[in-house]
Amino acid sequence: MLFMDFAKTCERLEDTAGRLDMIGIISQELTGLSEEELPVFVRFVMGRIFPDWNSRKLGIGPNILYDAVRSVAGVRKTAVVDRLNKTGDIGRTVEELLLVKTQTSLSYTELDLLDVYYKLVSISSREGEASQREKMRTAMQLLGDARPLEGRYLARIMLEELRIGVGEGSVREAIAKAFNVDSALVEHAMQALNDMGEVARLAKIGPDALKDVRITPFHPVRMMLAQQGAIADMIEEHGQIAAEFKYDGSRFQFHKKGNWARLYSRRLEDVTAALPDVISQLLSATEQDVILDGEVIAIKDGKPMPFQSVLRRFRRRHDVAEAQEAIEMVPNVFDILYLDGETLIDLPFSVRRKRLEGAVTRYIAPQIVSGEQAEIEKTYDAALAAGHEGIMIKVPSSPYTPGQRGKNWIKIKPEVDTLDLAVIGAEWGEGKRAHVFGSFLVACQDQGRLVPISRVATGFSDEQLAEVFEMLKESVIKTEGKEVTFEPSLVFEVGYAELQASQNYKGGFTLRFPRFIRIRDDKDLADIETIEGIRARYQRQANSAQAYQK
Ligand code: AMP
């Protein structure tokens, strides 16, 4: 497939609003692709380069891209900045600048989809200063060969953010349609393989290939997630339910095969090097090949420490040995997904639990199974008294569904007035804070779209502002006076006194007395609060105010 054909498909998709039409366009393209092109096309059309299980990043930030397009188009930096401020979109900016190039250059090399892919893969594994030059060279080479429309999508792929509105659901349906297989089968294969590209390749072979998928050690699967709910409803619906403490630490997935083991974070990053103590604890607990799901907490004087201390350890790159001594980490294992070559996710939770108890000798999270509300409530009280966040209720007959926030895992915890929100913009600080961002625009999501909800300017220490600045400075895509706009990636937990209806924000709500609580870099944009969630909270707030007035 020529990259130009891919770019034209993206353009059509970008101009298409209806989901069914989008699915039609993608599925038509899928049928004409070779076995080698298929996975690449599927990942590219979702704005990805690598399989989801692979946390490898290309490592090309907006700045490298601006420099590359600037030298290819032969324009000054100000020309890039001006256009960027006008379009607010890197892809369109690159496209416009390549139009300038087109007027002066005579020949092109046709870009091929697979060539682009292999070039990008080859630079992603490099590290260090030389790698920056290498990345710049490759970006210039690719943009040098690109026509304007190709440039639009090349730039966005290099930043791994395609913005054409194609979600995983549409690609799943398109694969099912193209190869005439059941979409539930496609979804199930995706859960085990965590790579839609590979799933498409198998779908082309046929339904049997899709049915036969297995989890592979060291290809982490997405974490199963929880919803809010009530104990009584769960008992009414399921009779017996399982209850465990809800630990306030960081999620992990532990993979072990032979004497090789790795630990992955909730975002599936490999955090093995930062947590050697947890690895050796888990290695001491099992002889078998396993994939375990759990939560690691930090303990001091027998009590769980604030979640922030755990996150700090997950982020640690240097002086890991010192950090280990300062704080004791304890893994709590609550699920098993793989055992000695067998994929277990489709087994009922109660059966998985038995397999877990048979394979692992220590660190298993205690559990009770009961149909008595009073007994479950006792566990909830005990959890809070021991300093945990609350409890998790799980349905004993349920499978493990990677990546899904279903009704089989329910979290019960005291309602707190904080929200996880995406940081989408900021304003430069003033006075002694003039060199960092001082206040931030944060957003919730409405079916994948970001909806601004508040500005947050309080609650930060100077250190935190400096830390946040370091994390965000490479993500600025637009500057207007003192205001900057980010390519969103960072999540803040934000506290508030009250939700207010507001005309000033498109979503219809804003926060009263918003304050920064903490960075949630264990969370992705997909994890932030939804507008429906906020509406429901607003309703609960109104109900309790009414009750108070009566
Ligand atoms: P939340 O982040 O509030 O949506 O709650 C779900 C998170 O609770 C999971 O992603 C885990 O990180 C964490 N957690 C703590 N204890 C448990 C447990 N026993 N079972 C499942 N998840 C747990």
Side-chain angles (χ1 to χ4, degrees):
M1 180 182 223
L2 290 178
F3 193 76
M4 188 45 132
D5 292 332
F6 172 74
K8 284 184 183 154
T9 307
C10 288
E11 191 184 30
R12 273 172 73 203
L13 288 166
E14 201 168 354
D15 293 338
T16 303
R19 188 161 176 268
L20 285 180
D21 295 335
M22 280 185 158
I23 292 169
I25 295 172
I26 302 170
S27 82
Q28 207 176 11
E29 292 297 323
L30 292 179
T31 48
L33 296 171
S34 72
E35 193 175 333
E36 206 183 345
E37 288 169 333
L38 195 51
V40 175
F41 175 92
V42 164
R43 288 187 213 125
F44 272 14
V45 86
M46 295 194 294
R48 290 175 201 151
I49 300 169
F50 303 105
D52 282 7
W53 57 261
N54 192 336
S55 58
R56 204 152 118 183
K57 286 270 172 281
L58 188 60
I60 291 190
N63 286 336
I64 297 187
L65 203 59
Y66 299 157
D67 283 346
V69 71
R70 196 161 64 80
S71 44
V72 167
V75 296
R76 286 168 188 277
K77 193 165 190 169
T78 47
V80 180
V81 174
D82 283 352
R83 282 208 165 69
L84 205 51
N85 286 342
K86 237 186 280 151
T87 61
D89 170 54
I90 297 178
R92 300 234 177 222
T93 301
V94 167
E95 180 176 13
E96 285 185 14
L97 290 169
L98 291 186
L99 270 172
V100 178
K101 178 199 79 170
T102 313
Q103 287 151 12
T104 55
S105 113
L106 295 172
S107 66
Y108 283 103
T109 312
E110 287 280 16
L111 286 171
D112 184 80
L113 182 81
L114 287 176
D115 280 346
V116 170
Y117 171 69
Y118 289 125
K119 278 215 175 77
L120 295 179
V121 170
S122 77
I123 51 170
S124 74
S125 44
R126 311 242 163 87
E127 279 186 13
E129 212 168 285
S131 90
Q132 292 304 96
R133 280 198 298 276
E134 184 74 14
K135 283 177 183 160
M136 175 75 183
R137 215 177 11 244
T138 303
M140 277 174 60
Q141 206 182 45
L142 287 171
L143 291 172
D145 284 336
R147 288 162 211 239
L149 186 67
E150 291 176 304
R152 187 197 301 174
Y153 298 106
L154 200 50
R156 293 189 192 160
I157 284 179
M158 287 198 248
L159 296 175
E160 299 180 67
E161 195 57 72
L162 201 56
R163 295 172 179 268
I164 55 172
V166 173
E168 191 177 300
S170 305
V171 175
R172 182 176 63 225
E173 297 305 320
I175 293 173
K177 186 165 178 210
F179 304 116
N180 200 15
V181 290
D182 189 352
S183 97
L185 213 50
V186 177
E187 182 169 15
H188 180 260
M190 175 61 188
Q191 288 181 355
L193 298 177
N194 208 5
D195 173 16
M196 204 54 112
E198 176 65 5
V199 170
R201 204 184 62 80
L202 294 176
K204 187 176 166 135
I205 299 171
D208 288 344
L210 275 184
K211 269 183 215 146
D212 199 29
V213 292
R214 281 153 212 223
I215 296 183
T216 314
F218 313 114
H219 288 190
V221 300
R222 294 179 192 169
M223 311 275 175
M224 180 163 172
L225 300 168
Q227 271 186 17
Q228 271 160 347
I231 299 172
D233 297 345
M234 291 298 278
I235 292 179
E236 192 182 349
E237 197 170 332
H238 304 284
Q240 299 275 311
I241 52 176
E244 299 161 3
F245 284 177
K246 183 175 192 305
Y247 304 96
D248 190 14
S250 257
R251 190 79 175 266
F252 71 79
Q253 202 174 93
F254 173 74
H255 289 223
K256 170 182 175 292
K257 187 156 196 250
N259 47 19
W260 186 248
R262 314 298 295 169
L263 199 71
Y264 301 94
S265 71
R266 178 185 162 127
R267 299 173 73 167
L268 310 187
E269 288 152 334
D270 187 332
V271 289
T272 311
L275 296 152
D277 39 352
V278 178
I279 291 269
S280 56
Q281 282 164 315
L282 291 169
L283 279 174
S284 76
T286 182
E287 302 267 289
Q288 281 157 277
D289 293 345
V290 289
I291 298 179
L292 305 175
D293 185 9
E295 181 98 351
V296 58
I297 52 172
I299 295 282
K300 201 173 178 189
D301 306 326
K303 283 251 170 216
M305 304 246 305
F307 152 91
Q308 208 62 23
S309 6
V310 184
L311 257 202
R312 230 174 275 136
R313 277 295 310 280
F314 266 65
R315 271 196 244 141
R316 197 98 187 184
R317 300 268 180 277
H318 310 287
D319 306 324
V320 171
E322 260 168 54
Q324 268 185 69
E325 275 167 30
I327 164 170
E328 186 196 353
M329 305 291 279
V330 180
N332 295 280
V333 179
F334 45 71
D335 219 319
I336 184 163
L337 317 185
Y338 170 98
L339 178 61
D340 289 337
E342 195 186 344
T343 295
L344 307 181
I345 57 174
D346 297 323
L347 297 175
F349 179 46
S350 54
V351 177
R352 294 200 307 278
R353 175 84 192 184
K354 289 220 170 66
R355 303 291 284 271
L356 175 64
E357 287 167 355
V360 175
T361 52
R362 303 163 64 193
Y363 304 115
I364 298 182
Q367 178 187 85
I368 64 153
V369 178
S370 167
E372 295 296 321
Q373 173 139 356
E375 201 159 336
I376 305 283
E377 276 167 0
K378 224 163 48 191
T379 309
Y380 177 70
D381 294 341
L384 294 185
H388 299 296
E389 233 191 325
I391 53 170
M392 296 287 300
I393 304 279
K394 300 181 180 177
V395 176
S397 61
S398 64
Y400 189 96
T401 43
Q404 288 195 358
R405 199 180 282 287
K407 289 204 161 99
N408 288 324
W409 280 20
I410 295 293
K411 52 187 172 187
I412 313 279
K413 55 182 187 179
E415 177 145 37
V416 283
D417 294 334
T418 70
L419 298 168
D420 293 332
L421 300 168
V423 186
I424 59 170
E427 195 172 290
W428 285 96
E430 289 181 345
K432 71 179 170 66
R433 290 179 167 180
H435 58 293
V436 293
F437 304 127
S439 82
F440 299 84
L441 184 62
V442 290
C444 62
Q445 59 166 321
D446 184 5
Q447 303 187 15
R449 260 188 213 114
L450 292 170
V451 185
I453 176 165
S454 181
R455 284 192 172 274
V456 187
T458 56
F460 300 94
S461 65
D462 286 343
E463 291 75 43
Q464 280 168 331
L465 281 179
E467 186 183 6
V468 168
F469 180 72
E470 282 305 312
M471 294 174 105
L472 286 171
K473 67 178 186 200
E474 292 291 326
S475 309
V476 175
I477 52 168
K478 188 173 168 187
T479 302
E480 232 174 348
K482 293 192 75 181
E483 291 275 336
V484 299
T485 305
F486 300 120
E487 185 70 43
S489 65
L490 193 63
V491 177
F492 279 176
E493 184 175 336
V494 178
Y496 62 93
E498 205 177 46
L499 285 169
Q500 288 181 320
S502 165
Q503 302 283 331
N504 298 334
Y505 287 90
K506 223 164 71 199
F509 296 100
T510 190
L511 308 182
R512 185 153 178 257
F513 300 136
R515 65 184 192 287
F516 170 81
I517 306 284
R518 54 195 182 181
I519 297 169
R520 291 299 307 243
D521 57 354
D522 58 325
K523 295 217 166 177
D524 281 324
L525 290 186
D527 297 323
I528 63 172
E529 188 65 50
T530 60
I531 194 82
E532 299 96 80
I534 289 176
R535 219 170 274 136
R537 276 181 188 233
Y538 183 75
Q539 200 51 50
R540 283 200 292 275
Q541 182 184 293
N543 292 346
S544 59
Q546 257 175 10
Y548 179 72
Q549 278 158 10
K550 270 183 198 161

